[in-house]
């Protein structure tokens, strides 16, 4: 099965490297600069689950290649439009598109571009960053990729995909309800990224304050109310479950959005918080905590524009 990983960053680079380690046929679609660096130094992964140093097959958007069997997308939401155009030459009639983006709005974009049948569901749980030397640094005990047919069917192509994912030195989990899994993660990452970015703090100090606990709880309740109103396939009472999850996390945990803001990088405010604010307006549901978070994020983006 020919696999194309779009990018060789923290997520795509890590899971692609683990598949390569197993012996799968993996190619990385990268930019010219990243291609040159990997050709010179290899693809390096420093992980608590074992380090890797590989020389993978590389491709740029201007190069020619036959269509791939599966394309795994792990770009940021604001990079998706360009990524769609970059992968078009490598998509055939039977190509599976497996997105690992946060949120849910990207699914409609991919379906619009490649068709309903091409796109399956996916998400991942992992903490990675790119080191100063360009290596992928993976620190979390969890390195999990979850995938499945949207709608939950057990199809021949999913069984084939499972046979290639199984045995990899990372958790590749076939879900029977990937739609619900994606919405649950959407709720969690929207709350976690929003509250840590708003407070400019790791989660520990926030939740130790009674007012911090109240803010987290209120934000999760707002998100559950909106998702319920629009008919999202979430479990009743999921906000309480996710509050328990937030309270069980390591005190030092920061969201990737918060880390991106600390580095002055782009963020996914519109894709995550903004998308749900639009849905809340349509449903007539007040979301004051979510709007406060979104205001903070948009001010950050405006300030970034002014600095250019």
């Amino acid at each position: 099965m020919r696999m194309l990983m779009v990018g060789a960053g923290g997520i795509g680079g890590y899971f692609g490297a683990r598949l390569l380690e197993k012996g799968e046929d993996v190619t990385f679609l990268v930019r010219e600069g990243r291609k040159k660096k990997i050709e010179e130094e290899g693809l390096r992964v420093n992980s608590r689950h074992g380090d890797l140093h590989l020389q993978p097959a590389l491709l740029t958007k201007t190069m020619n290649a036959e269509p791939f069997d599966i394309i795994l997308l792990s770009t940021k939401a604001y990079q998706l439009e360009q990524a769609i155009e970059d992968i078009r030459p490598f998509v055939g009639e039977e190509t599976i598109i497996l997105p690992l983006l946060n949120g849910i709005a990207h699914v409609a974009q991919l379906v619009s571009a490649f068709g309903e049948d091409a796109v399956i569901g996916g998400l991942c749980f992992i903490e990675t960053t790119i080191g100063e030397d360009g290596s992928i640094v993976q620190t979390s005990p969890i390195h999990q990729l979850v995938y499945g047919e949207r709608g939950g069917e057990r199809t021949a192509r999913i069984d084939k995909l499972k046979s290639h994912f199984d045995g990899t030195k990372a958790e590749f989990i076939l879900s029977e309800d990937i739609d619900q899994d994606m919405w649950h993660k959407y709720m969690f990452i929207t709350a976690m990224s929003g509250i840590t970015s708003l407070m400019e703090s790791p989660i520990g100090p926030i939740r130790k304050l009674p007012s911090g606990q109240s803010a987290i709880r209120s934000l999760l309740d707002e998100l559950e109310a909106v998702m319920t109103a629009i008919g999202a396939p979430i479990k009743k009472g999921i906000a309480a479950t996710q509050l328990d999850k937030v309270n069980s996390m390591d005190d030092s945990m920061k969201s990737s959005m918060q880390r991106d803001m600390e580095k002055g990088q782009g963020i996914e405010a519109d894709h995550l918080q903004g998308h749900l604010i639009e849905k809340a307006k349509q449903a007539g549901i007040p979301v004051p905590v979510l709007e406060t978070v979104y205001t903070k994020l948009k001010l950050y983006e405006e300030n970034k524009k002014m600095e250019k």
Side-chain angles (χ1 to χ4, degrees), residues 22-197:
K22 182 199 168 192
E24 293 295 333
D25 182 355
V26 180
T27 299
F28 291 88
L29 179 64
V30 293
R31 294 174 180 166
E32 289 288 350
R34 184 67 166 154
K35 179 174 181 288
K36 182 178 179 181
K37 188 169 184 63
I38 293 175
E39 285 174 340
E40 292 175 350
E41 303 177 10
L43 181 64
R44 296 179 182 272
V45 175
N46 299 319
S47 168
R48 62 186 295 163
H49 300 288
D51 297 343
L52 295 170
H53 185 199
L54 306 166
Q55 288 294 155
L58 302 172
L59 190 65
T60 66
K61 64 181 181 180
T62 59
M63 296 170 65
N64 296 319
E66 292 296 315
F68 287 82
D69 297 307
I70 182 166
I71 298 177
L72 293 92
L73 279 161
S74 58
T75 59
K76 295 289 189 180
Y78 50 80
Q79 299 168 327
L80 181 59
E81 189 173 337
Q82 183 60 55
I84 286 173
E85 297 309 312
D86 291 348
I87 67 175
R88 279 191 190 279
F90 312 117
V91 176
E93 291 184 5
E94 303 298 322
T95 300
I96 301 169
I97 309 292
L98 170 52
L100 300 175
L101 288 75
N102 291 321
I104 207 76
H106 60 276
V107 174
Q109 286 180 262
L110 290 167
V111 167
S112 177
F114 302 110
E116 188 72 40
D117 292 341
V119 184
I120 65 173
L123 56 92
C124 61
F125 296 100
I126 189 169
E127 188 173 356
T128 60
T129 189
I130 301 297
E132 292 183 3
D133 62 353
S135 63
I136 298 165
V137 181
Q138 191 273 323
T139 55
S140 58
I142 299 175
H143 54 160
Q144 189 178 93
L145 188 155
V146 186
Y147 64 100
E149 293 281 8
R150 294 183 297 117
E153 302 91 345
R154 188 67 181 263
T155 59
R157 68 176 183 176
I158 280 293
D159 284 336
K160 181 179 180 181
L161 189 57
K162 184 177 185 299
S163 72
H164 286 272
F165 282 166
D166 284 354
T168 305
K169 198 175 179 181
E171 290 185 86
F172 284 75
I173 300 173
L174 176 57
S175 170
E176 296 180 355
D177 196 347
I178 193 65
D179 292 331
Q180 185 176 85
D181 292 338
M182 289 171 68
W183 277 97
H184 285 179
K185 188 190 176 185
Y186 183 18
M187 179 187 290
F188 181 81
I189 201 72
T190 300
M192 183 68 181
S193 66
I195 210 73
T196 56
S197 299

Side-chain angles (χ1 to χ4, degrees), residues 215-248:
I216 299 168
R217 184 183 300 108
S218 296
L219 179 54
L220 285 166
D221 286 344
E222 288 179 7
L223 299 177
E224 181 175 354
V226 175
M227 291 181 179
T228 300
I230 64 175
I234 60 173
K235 291 181 180 178
K236 187 175 182 179
I238 186 62
T241 302
Q242 296 207 342
L243 180 61
D244 290 340
K245 184 176 179 180
V246 170
N247 284 328
S248 70

